[in-house]
Amino acid sequence: MKDFRYIFILVLCCLIFIEKPNVLQAQNRQKLENEKAKLEKEIASMNAILKETKKKNKMSASELQIIKKKVEQRQQLVNNITLQVKMLNEQ
């Protein structure tokens, strides 16, 4: 009977030591999966911010083009007025 108790305790200890790494591994795996999900969510958020920033940069580039065109047209207007003044002065 004593031998059976020792064998039972030995088997129980072995099962505990065998299962403990599996439990720890499952906890570590869950922790890693949670961290992975969190990182993927943060990456998606950063991608959305980057996309919005690119849109704004494109709009800023478009606005810059419009302003350049406006300056060119105003310069042409000044040149036109200057020519008109010269023509009036020659008359």
Side-chain angles (χ1 to χ4, degrees):
M1 192 70 169
K2 278 187 166 186
D3 289 336
F4 178 73
R5 223 186 289 164
Y6 289 126
I7 291 173
F8 178 74
I9 291 172
L10 181 63
V11 169
L12 187 60
C13 289
C14 287
L15 287 174
I16 290 171
F17 287 118
I18 289 172
E19 285 301 314
K20 187 174 182 180
N22 289 338
V23 170
L24 291 175
Q25 184 178 10
Q27 289 174 344
N28 287 338
R29 182 178 185 159
Q30 184 63 40
K31 184 179 177 182
L32 289 172
E33 287 177 3
N34 289 343
E35 188 176 343
K36 177 186 172 202
K38 180 183 172 188
L39 290 170
E40 287 175 341
K41 188 176 180 180
E42 288 175 0
I43 289 170
S45 175
M46 292 295 177
N47 283 337
I49 291 170
L50 182 61
K51 188 175 182 179
E52 188 64 31
T53 302
K54 284 183 180 180
K55 282 183 186 177
K56 287 181 181 178
N57 284 343
K58 284 183 181 179
M59 286 194 313
S60 294
S62 295
E63 289 172 349
L64 183 61
Q65 289 290 353
I66 291 169
I67 291 170
K68 283 183 177 181
K69 185 69 174 173
K70 197 172 172 181
V71 168
E72 289 173 4
Q73 289 174 343
R74 288 189 185 255
Q75 186 60 47
Q76 288 176 356
L77 179 62
V78 168
N79 290 343
N80 187 311
I81 293 172
T82 303
L83 285 175
Q84 287 180 2
V85 169
K86 281 184 181 181
M87 288 177 72
L88 288 174
N89 284 337
E90 289 178 356
Q91 285 181 356

